[in-house]
Amino acid sequence: MVFTRAEGIRVFDENGKGYIEGLAGLWCAGLGFSETRLIEAANRQFLELPYYHTFFGRAANVTARLADRVVDIAPEGLTRVFFACSGSEAIDTAIKMVWYYNNARGRPGKKKIISRRNAYHGVTVAGASLTRLPVNQEGFDLPIARFLQVECPHHYRFAKDGESEKAFSARLAAELEALILAEGPDTVAAFFAEPVQGAGGIIPPPRGYFDLIQPILKKYDILFVADEVICGFARTGNMFGSDTYGLKPDLMTMAKGLSAGYQPISAVALTEEVFGGIAELGDEKGSFGHGFTYGGHPVAAAVALEAQNLYHERDIVGHVRRVGAHFQNRLRDFADHDLVGEARGVGLLGALELVADKKTKAKFPPELALGQRILDLTQARGLLFRPAGDTLLFCPPLIVEEADIDEIFDIVGAALDEILRSKII
Ligand SMILES: Cc1ncc(COP(=O)(O)O)c(C=O)c1O
């Protein structure tokens, strides 16, 4: 498909057909596709200072202002910000910072990094070593050494028969602690987690999960890195997923919603403690030898700053809470549908996991490509979303109204019913 223009929450293909972008592009265009304030902010910045970098103790004023703004809205304790250009770069930066910090603190053996099955943390060599989706690792000789995996926190798929959410969380926490002890706590540096697993299937944490995980990380002096690339900037009904789930990360990665997708920019926020270690070793070595030519690009920073102004002026968090309630109600109504095993989500994130048998949770044969077939049907009716296998993922622009949400789920309902009526399943 080739797209030529956009308006609000819709994109238009080269034949002029319009589609609601039910995934906000790639989980990022929260302010829709025609926000003139963002475009004007870019234009103004192009005229004032179209390029500068963030090396040698220098930066554009707008980049410094954005850093201050990120610190203002970030969870407590995150006081320093580093800019890059993509989520993957932010993740690789966070990994390198963790390693550098442990070297600074005289713990050169404490380097292993843990992530979770079905995690998505990008596709660079280290990021894809944290990402735990087979398609991003197989054939690439990944993961590289020192990357460890624990279980996905998806209760519907991975809980034992009759196991409550709390019991499931306790089992996963025990598994994490057992892995840390088996590897040796002195060798484990960090645990990376998306507050809600995104590309892996929109999987909100089960009850009690992070409350049990965080003390274990503290106990063994393991840094907690929250990957807010999808959850950040109001998506879950708070500014960050960390606010929604009570996370106290040592480092936090952001991208996508930072600039509402209009410019490539990402960030890592860190605590004074982690920053202090990095700064000390950096001074010893002459500088912190890491950074990107376009990191903190002034035009991207100006657009990101304006996006933050718009989120604030329009109380986008309040809006997501209001329309998110309707979104979750409409989504969860599908739990009774014959094809749906689980309807789950939070805020303006939602997934419908399709199953062949609701009782056994058996999946449809992959060759049926049911998720893709449903996308074909919704596409014909003017809705784009993302199928992950037979799980339908929805993450509409944050500016959707209730009528848009009704349109999205009316189209999804019509497509699911058409599949039921057809003889293909
Ligand atoms: C949670 C998460 N982390 C990292 C990334 C990587 O971001 P990028 O594609 O900008 O490299 C993504 C991308 O979808 C993501 O969802």
Side-chain angles (χ1 to χ4, degrees), residues 121-327:
H121 298 290
V123 295
T124 43
V125 173
S129 295
L130 277 182
T131 289
R132 290 295 183 166
L133 297 172
V135 72
N136 299 115
Q137 295 198 320
E138 288 172 3
F140 292 105
D141 294 2
L142 295 172
I144 53 173
R146 307 202 286 204
F147 287 79
L148 308 171
Q149 179 183 211
V150 288
E151 187 53 287
C152 169
H154 189 190
H155 181 265
Y156 176 77
R157 271 290 155 209
F158 301 115
K160 293 180 177 158
D161 275 352
E163 192 175 35
S164 70
E165 276 192 44
K166 278 191 160 167
F168 176 56
S169 294
R171 178 160 65 79
L172 295 194
E175 182 208 356
L176 173 68
E177 185 160 18
L179 177 73
I180 294 166
L181 291 172
E183 295 287 333
D186 292 347
T187 71
V188 181
F191 175 80
F192 279 64
E194 302 154 84
V196 177
Q197 287 195 320
I202 303 189
I203 300 161
R207 219 156 280 142
Y209 177 78
F210 282 114
D211 296 340
L212 293 169
I213 295 286
Q214 291 185 100
I216 293 170
L217 302 176
K218 275 258 158 329
K219 183 170 164 189
Y220 298 107
D221 205 359
I222 292 167
L223 295 171
F224 180 22
V225 186
D227 183 353
E228 294 268 6
V229 167
I230 285 180
C231 293
F233 307 100
R235 185 52 69 184
T236 65
N238 287 291
M239 199 38 115
F240 293 100
S242 292
D243 304 322
T244 300
Y245 297 108
L247 311 187
K248 296 192 174 50
D250 300 289
L251 297 94
M252 190 171 94
T253 52
M254 292 153 264
K256 301 189 187 280
L258 177 58
S259 66
Y262 280 46
Q263 284 287 294
I265 183 166
S266 65
V268 183
L270 45 153
T271 59
E272 214 49 36
E273 163 61 26
V274 176
F275 171 80
I278 291 171
E280 272 168 39
L281 188 57
D283 285 347
E284 200 183 302
K285 306 253 175 235
S287 90
F288 174 57
H290 177 80
F292 305 97
T293 300
Y294 306 109
H297 193 289
V299 177
V303 170
L305 202 51
E306 190 70 341
Q308 303 312 311
N309 291 338
L310 290 167
Y311 294 152
H312 181 70
E313 282 169 32
R314 296 178 186 170
D315 182 23
I316 207 79
V317 166
H319 174 78
V320 170
R321 285 185 190 171
R322 277 188 300 277
V323 301
H326 185 62
F327 179 88

